[in-house]
Amino acid sequence: MDKLKLAEQTLIDDEYPEFKTGDTVVVHYRVREGDKERIQKFEGLVISRRGSGANQTFMVRKISAGNIGVERIFPLHSPFIAKIELKRQGDIKRSKLYYLRDRQGKSARIKEKDQNRDEVRELNREAEAKAAAKEEAQNADEEE
């Protein structure tokens, strides 16, 4: 394995729940303003995922006040992402949902999977457990 791939593997975090295009997520993003740092939530529909490895990104679209669509691209393995929460899983058949840009109201909705709620809670619990275990390991390494 070359050195670049080894370096990329150290950046990859698996503490996020499994999500795909069509799912509704809440991204907790760290924002720096001068000396201070705060967490800003961005909730919306995942309309695309692209890339692989440490370069993987996903695009989230939310409808802001006045029916204005706001899209934001997040690097999946960014240190600025504090947490990703899965709200609901969509039942879709496409990998890119760019057609939603032209739609409003009911036609812009995505159907929800039937067995959704229990699976979503379980995926969020697993992601939180992974994050807690990783944090405990880091604290143990710092104490030694």
Side-chain angles (χ1 to χ4, degrees):
M1 210 183 264
D2 60 335
K3 294 178 183 179
L4 184 61
K5 287 186 180 178
L6 285 172
E8 283 181 355
Q9 284 182 346
T10 60
L11 300 173
I12 294 176
D13 290 333
D14 291 333
E15 61 192 48
Y16 305 125
E18 290 292 323
F19 66 94
K20 59 182 180 29
T21 303
D23 295 347
T24 303
V25 296
V26 179
V27 181
H28 297 259
Y29 200 74
R30 289 189 185 101
V31 178
R32 284 197 180 162
E33 296 170 340
D35 306 358
K36 298 179 183 178
E37 184 176 291
R38 65 183 177 86
I39 293 184
Q40 181 177 8
K41 294 180 184 177
F42 192 89
E43 180 175 354
L45 183 72
V46 178
I47 62 171
S48 75
R49 286 184 72 156
R50 69 181 338 173
S52 63
N55 299 325
Q56 192 170 5
T57 61
F58 62 101
M59 187 182 302
V60 180
R61 178 180 175 83
K62 77 173 184 177
I63 303 298
S64 188
N67 281 341
I68 297 174
V70 178
E71 294 180 2
R72 189 161 178 191
I73 299 173
F74 294 99
L76 183 61
H77 302 292
S78 170
F80 290 108
I81 293 180
K83 179 165 94 169
I84 298 176
E85 279 181 51
L86 184 61
K87 284 289 190 181
R88 31 178 297 204
Q89 291 180 319
D91 190 15
I92 58 156
K93 297 179 180 176
R94 298 177 182 215
S95 62
K96 306 284 191 268
L97 302 178
Y98 298 136
Y99 67 92
L100 291 176
R101 294 173 176 165
D102 301 329
R103 299 193 178 184
Q104 292 180 344
K106 284 188 177 182
S107 65
R109 288 190 298 188
I110 300 291
K111 290 181 187 175
E112 190 172 358
K113 281 192 177 175
D114 292 337
Q115 69 279 8
N116 184 20
R117 287 187 180 83
D118 294 333
E119 287 183 12
V120 167
R121 287 187 190 122
E122 187 63 31
L123 288 171
N124 282 331
R125 278 191 213 115
E126 289 174 6
E128 288 174 6
K130 283 182 186 177
K134 183 177 179 182
E135 190 173 316
E136 288 177 15
Q138 287 178 348
N139 290 338
D141 289 342
E142 290 175 3
E143 289 177 4
E144 292 177 0

